[in-house]
Amino acid sequence: MDIKEALVDRVSNPALTEPGPTEKQLELIFKAALRAPDHGRLRPWRFITIKGDARNRLGDLFAEAVLSDQKDLSEDALNRYRGMPLRAPVLIALVCKARQHPKIPEIEQQLSLGAAAQNILHGAYAQGMGAMWRTGAISYHPMVASGLGLEANEQLLGFIYLGTPYGARKKRPELSIDDFVSAWE
Ligand SMILES: Cc1cc2nc3c(=O)[nH]c(=O)nc-3n(C[C@H](O)[C@H](O)[C@H](O)COP(=O)(O)O)c2cc1C
């Protein structure tokens, strides 16, 4: 893949299937994540992979969390939550480990995790894989955070779903640079 395609043509893929990334592909993806810009080298991130049957346990955790807030939720609705992690063979939970720092506010540490997430998306795309960053209210539910083993100072900022794309890859409309870039003189 040439540099233009790798940088400019990346798209997200909601429709993902087996096979998931190999260990070698995942290693490159995580190496790319760990090269994210990081003020003060705080390494304000942690990544958790969820594969195979662990995805069913994550789905159960989603259902338990949502049920704790909405006791009358239908079995169909709960099953939709249970099925969410099965939308891809591998998920990466994005965890921000922001800490108090005299010069580096929390927002910069979250941005750093966001940059790592973008590197994951590009790392997947450049290796021919499909990926999609997903959150939703369930990602911010405290029961999901504690079920995944997050500490009190850690924050779940969603999941990247990874796998083999199926269906036609959507072409995104090309945005005009002039609409978003201006010179300050
Ligand atoms: C932090 C974050 C959370 C997101 N959460 C969701 C989500 O829960 N569901 C969804 O359909 N898209 C979500 N998206 C958007 C998709 O990941 C994707 O960027 C969007 O569909 C546009 O596709 P593109 O990346 O090909 O332009 C999220 C994006 C970001 C940056």
Side-chain angles (χ1 to χ4, degrees), residues 10-12 132-136 172:
R10 183 207 62 79
V11 288
S12 300
M132 177 134 170
W133 188 350
R134 292 181 181 274
T135 47
R172 303 289 181 217

Side-chain angles (χ1 to χ4, degrees), residues 173-183:
E174 194 167 334
L175 301 180
S176 162
I177 291 175
D178 291 343
D179 289 343
F180 299 94
V181 181
S182 60

Side-chain angles (χ1 to χ4, degrees), residues 7-8 14-15 20 22 43 52 55-56 58 64 69 112 120 159 166 170 174 176 184:
L7 288 177
V8 178
T22 62
R43 318 301 188 214
R55 295 170 307 153
N56 286 311
L58 181 62
E64 274 168 42
D69 294 335
S112 208
I120 291 175
F159 298 88
Y166 67 89
K170 267 200 193 137
E174 194 167 334
S176 162
W184 186 80

